Amino acid sequence: MNAAAEAIAHLVGSGWVSAAAHRSRDEAIPRPLVGAPDGLVDWVSAFASLSAPDDAVWFLSLADYDGQADDAFAWNAFETLSLEAAASEREAVRVREFWSAHVPILLCVRGHYAYLAVRADGAVVHGEEPEFEESTVVAESLAGFLASLGDESRDRHELVTRLVFGP
């Protein structure tokens, strides 16, 4: 079993709800994922939906990036919120630059807004309101992140444990 399948199986075993992917990985890659770090398109293609039991935390699927998903939050919702809150054009530029180098993979609305994203160099980062653009590295790579989700014996960043598996 590959790391993505192990991560999904562990999440489902922890109460998460998953729907099987009904799109082919070979379909056109949505614009936000063009040039994405290794493994990201494979990960978001591995499921149609993957969410915590309360639906307040979820991983984004391939359909989310091309606008085909029926979600209340767009894949780039936190970037949009930051742009709306930008007090100047200079701040808006800083927000755009940050998000052009980060692809959100998980959104959380449980208690507060938070996310996990894959940075352009492949690291997985965590950020939360009120300053979404202040982030913390939680895994050096997507592969390492997925392995930590699928294997409890591996080191998992405390922020990931709290965000994905609850307080």
mmCIF file of all heavy atoms in Angstrom, residues 3-11 144-154 156 165:
data_model
loop_
_atom_site.group_PDB
_atom_site.id
_atom_site.type_symbol
_atom_site.label_atom_id
_atom_site.label_comp_id
_atom_site.label_asym_id
_atom_site.label_seq_id
_atom_site.Cartn_x
_atom_site.Cartn_y
_atom_site.Cartn_z
ATOM 1 N N ALA A 3 1.841 5.456 0.421
ATOM 2 C CA ALA A 3 1.661 6.383 1.547
ATOM 3 C C ALA A 3 0.289 7.052 1.522
ATOM 4 O O ALA A 3 -0.328 7.243 2.577
ATOM 5 C CB ALA A 3 2.769 7.430 1.555
ATOM 6 N N ALA A 4 -0.203 7.413 0.345
ATOM 7 C CA ALA A 4 -1.520 8.058 0.260
ATOM 8 C C ALA A 4 -2.610 7.100 0.720
ATOM 9 O O ALA A 4 -3.480 7.475 1.522
ATOM 10 C CB ALA A 4 -1.793 8.548 -1.160
ATOM 11 N N ALA A 5 -2.573 5.877 0.249
ATOM 12 C CA ALA A 5 -3.582 4.888 0.637
ATOM 13 C C ALA A 5 -3.505 4.592 2.130
ATOM 14 O O ALA A 5 -4.541 4.457 2.804
ATOM 15 C CB ALA A 5 -3.411 3.607 -0.177
ATOM 16 N N GLU A 6 -2.288 4.500 2.681
ATOM 17 C CA GLU A 6 -2.124 4.266 4.117
ATOM 18 C C GLU A 6 -2.663 5.443 4.929
ATOM 19 O O GLU A 6 -3.315 5.250 5.954
ATOM 20 C CB GLU A 6 -0.658 4.017 4.455
ATOM 21 C CG GLU A 6 -0.164 2.665 4.001
ATOM 22 C CD GLU A 6 1.302 2.432 4.337
ATOM 23 O OE1 GLU A 6 1.835 3.121 5.236
ATOM 24 O OE2 GLU A 6 1.899 1.548 3.709
ATOM 25 N N ALA A 7 -2.386 6.666 4.469
ATOM 26 C CA ALA A 7 -2.886 7.850 5.172
ATOM 27 C C ALA A 7 -4.412 7.868 5.167
ATOM 28 O O ALA A 7 -5.036 8.101 6.210
ATOM 29 C CB ALA A 7 -2.333 9.126 4.526
ATOM 30 N N ILE A 8 -5.010 7.610 4.015
ATOM 31 C CA ILE A 8 -6.477 7.600 3.920
ATOM 32 C C ILE A 8 -7.054 6.504 4.817
ATOM 33 O O ILE A 8 -8.009 6.743 5.567
ATOM 34 C CB ILE A 8 -6.932 7.436 2.458
ATOM 35 C CG1 ILE A 8 -6.546 8.679 1.653
ATOM 36 C CG2 ILE A 8 -8.433 7.168 2.376
ATOM 37 C CD1 ILE A 8 -6.674 8.521 0.140
ATOM 38 N N ALA A 9 -6.466 5.320 4.777
ATOM 39 C CA ALA A 9 -6.956 4.214 5.606
ATOM 40 C C ALA A 9 -6.861 4.561 7.091
ATOM 41 O O ALA A 9 -7.799 4.288 7.859
ATOM 42 C CB ALA A 9 -6.164 2.941 5.307
ATOM 43 N N HIS A 10 -5.771 5.190 7.503
ATOM 44 C CA HIS A 10 -5.632 5.559 8.919
ATOM 45 C C HIS A 10 -6.643 6.645 9.305
ATOM 46 O O HIS A 10 -7.238 6.580 10.380
ATOM 47 C CB HIS A 10 -4.207 6.029 9.220
ATOM 48 C CG HIS A 10 -3.991 6.317 10.668
ATOM 49 N ND1 HIS A 10 -3.880 5.319 11.616
ATOM 50 C CD2 HIS A 10 -3.916 7.483 11.345
ATOM 51 C CE1 HIS A 10 -3.735 5.871 12.800
ATOM 52 N NE2 HIS A 10 -3.754 7.187 12.664
ATOM 53 N N LEU A 11 -6.834 7.616 8.424
ATOM 54 C CA LEU A 11 -7.817 8.657 8.702
ATOM 55 C C LEU A 11 -9.217 8.062 8.831
ATOM 56 O O LEU A 11 -9.960 8.386 9.770
ATOM 57 C CB LEU A 11 -7.780 9.739 7.622
ATOM 58 C CG LEU A 11 -6.551 10.640 7.638
ATOM 59 C CD1 LEU A 11 -6.457 11.429 6.340
ATOM 60 C CD2 LEU A 11 -6.565 11.558 8.844
ATOM 61 N N GLY A 144 6.632 12.725 3.509
ATOM 62 C CA GLY A 144 6.833 12.573 4.944
ATOM 63 C C GLY A 144 5.574 12.872 5.727
ATOM 64 O O GLY A 144 5.256 12.196 6.711
ATOM 65 N N PHE A 145 4.841 13.893 5.286
ATOM 66 C CA PHE A 145 3.579 14.244 5.928
ATOM 67 C C PHE A 145 2.584 13.088 5.826
ATOM 68 O O PHE A 145 1.978 12.686 6.824
ATOM 69 C CB PHE A 145 2.998 15.507 5.286
ATOM 70 C CG PHE A 145 1.592 15.809 5.691
ATOM 71 C CD1 PHE A 145 1.304 16.289 6.954
ATOM 72 C CD2 PHE A 145 0.548 15.599 4.803
ATOM 73 C CE1 PHE A 145 -0.004 16.557 7.338
ATOM 74 C CE2 PHE A 145 -0.760 15.868 5.171
ATOM 75 C CZ PHE A 145 -1.037 16.345 6.445
ATOM 76 N N LEU A 146 2.416 12.540 4.618
ATOM 77 C CA LEU A 146 1.475 11.439 4.426
ATOM 78 C C LEU A 146 1.892 10.221 5.231
ATOM 79 O O LEU A 146 1.052 9.544 5.831
ATOM 80 C CB LEU A 146 1.347 11.090 2.940
ATOM 81 C CG LEU A 146 0.711 12.173 2.074
ATOM 82 C CD1 LEU A 146 0.720 11.755 0.608
ATOM 83 C CD2 LEU A 146 -0.688 12.516 2.543
ATOM 84 N N ALA A 147 3.191 9.943 5.270
ATOM 85 C CA ALA A 147 3.680 8.809 6.059
ATOM 86 C C ALA A 147 3.343 9.012 7.535
ATOM 87 O O ALA A 147 2.962 8.058 8.228
ATOM 88 C CB ALA A 147 5.180 8.635 5.860
ATOM 89 N N SER A 148 3.439 10.247 8.024
ATOM 90 C CA SER A 148 3.123 10.506 9.436
ATOM 91 C C SER A 148 1.632 10.349 9.719
ATOM 92 O O SER A 148 1.252 10.010 10.836
ATOM 93 C CB SER A 148 3.607 11.895 9.859
ATOM 94 O OG SER A 148 2.734 12.915 9.416
ATOM 95 N N LEU A 149 0.803 10.574 8.717
ATOM 96 C CA LEU A 149 -0.638 10.370 8.903
ATOM 97 C C LEU A 149 -0.984 8.895 8.941
ATOM 98 O O LEU A 149 -1.904 8.478 9.640
ATOM 99 C CB LEU A 149 -1.439 11.029 7.774
ATOM 100 C CG LEU A 149 -1.514 12.533 7.732
ATOM 101 C CD1 LEU A 149 -2.384 12.972 6.564
ATOM 102 C CD2 LEU A 149 -2.029 13.112 9.031
ATOM 103 N N GLY A 150 -0.268 8.098 8.160
ATOM 104 C CA GLY A 150 -0.598 6.682 8.027
ATOM 105 C C GLY A 150 0.063 5.775 9.037
ATOM 106 O O GLY A 150 -0.267 4.601 9.130
ATOM 107 N N ASP A 151 1.005 6.299 9.823
ATOM 108 C CA ASP A 151 1.763 5.463 10.741
ATOM 109 C C ASP A 151 1.955 6.216 12.054
ATOM 110 O O ASP A 151 2.747 7.147 12.130
ATOM 111 C CB ASP A 151 3.118 5.126 10.110
ATOM 112 C CG ASP A 151 3.969 4.214 10.959
ATOM 113 O OD1 ASP A 151 3.584 3.908 12.109
ATOM 114 O OD2 ASP A 151 5.036 3.803 10.475
ATOM 115 N N GLU A 152 1.218 5.805 13.079
ATOM 116 C CA GLU A 152 1.272 6.514 14.363
ATOM 117 C C GLU A 152 2.641 6.434 15.025
ATOM 118 O O GLU A 152 2.954 7.247 15.893
ATOM 119 C CB GLU A 152 0.204 5.976 15.307
ATOM 120 C CG GLU A 152 -1.184 6.385 14.877
ATOM 121 C CD GLU A 152 -2.202 6.173 15.965
ATOM 122 O OE1 GLU A 152 -1.953 6.603 17.097
ATOM 123 O OE2 GLU A 152 -3.238 5.573 15.661
ATOM 124 N N SER A 153 3.470 5.471 14.619
ATOM 125 C CA SER A 153 4.787 5.347 15.242
ATOM 126 C C SER A 153 5.771 6.384 14.698
ATOM 127 O O SER A 153 6.825 6.606 15.276
ATOM 128 C CB SER A 153 5.347 3.935 15.023
ATOM 129 O OG SER A 153 5.651 3.722 13.654
ATOM 130 N N ARG A 154 5.430 7.049 13.593
ATOM 131 C CA ARG A 154 6.304 8.070 13.022
ATOM 132 C C ARG A 154 6.093 9.393 13.755
ATOM 133 O O ARG A 154 5.032 9.653 14.296
ATOM 134 C CB ARG A 154 6.006 8.261 11.532
ATOM 135 C CG ARG A 154 6.352 7.048 10.687
ATOM 136 C CD ARG A 154 6.082 7.325 9.240
ATOM 137 N NE ARG A 154 6.891 8.405 8.726
ATOM 138 C CZ ARG A 154 8.019 8.256 8.036
ATOM 139 N NH1 ARG A 154 8.483 7.062 7.811
ATOM 140 N NH2 ARG A 154 8.664 9.304 7.568
ATOM 141 N N ARG A 156 5.066 12.945 14.243
ATOM 142 C CA ARG A 156 4.052 13.798 13.628
ATOM 143 C C ARG A 156 4.061 15.113 14.386
ATOM 144 O O ARG A 156 4.033 15.117 15.614
ATOM 145 C CB ARG A 156 2.685 13.136 13.719
ATOM 146 C CG ARG A 156 1.587 13.915 13.036
ATOM 147 C CD ARG A 156 0.200 13.319 13.228
ATOM 148 N NE ARG A 156 0.101 11.935 12.845
ATOM 149 C CZ ARG A 156 -0.550 11.008 13.556
ATOM 150 N NH1 ARG A 156 -1.154 11.317 14.686
ATOM 151 N NH2 ARG A 156 -0.611 9.760 13.152
ATOM 152 N N PHE A 165 -6.428 15.297 13.995
ATOM 153 C CA PHE A 165 -7.007 14.277 14.877
ATOM 154 C C PHE A 165 -7.703 14.855 16.104
ATOM 155 O O PHE A 165 -8.197 14.116 16.957
ATOM 156 C CB PHE A 165 -5.922 13.278 15.298
ATOM 157 C CG PHE A 165 -5.388 12.495 14.134
ATOM 158 C CD1 PHE A 165 -4.164 12.825 13.582
ATOM 159 C CD2 PHE A 165 -6.116 11.491 13.546
ATOM 160 C CE1 PHE A 165 -3.651 12.136 12.492
ATOM 161 C CE2 PHE A 165 -5.636 10.787 12.461
ATOM 162 C CZ PHE A 165 -4.397 11.115 11.931
#
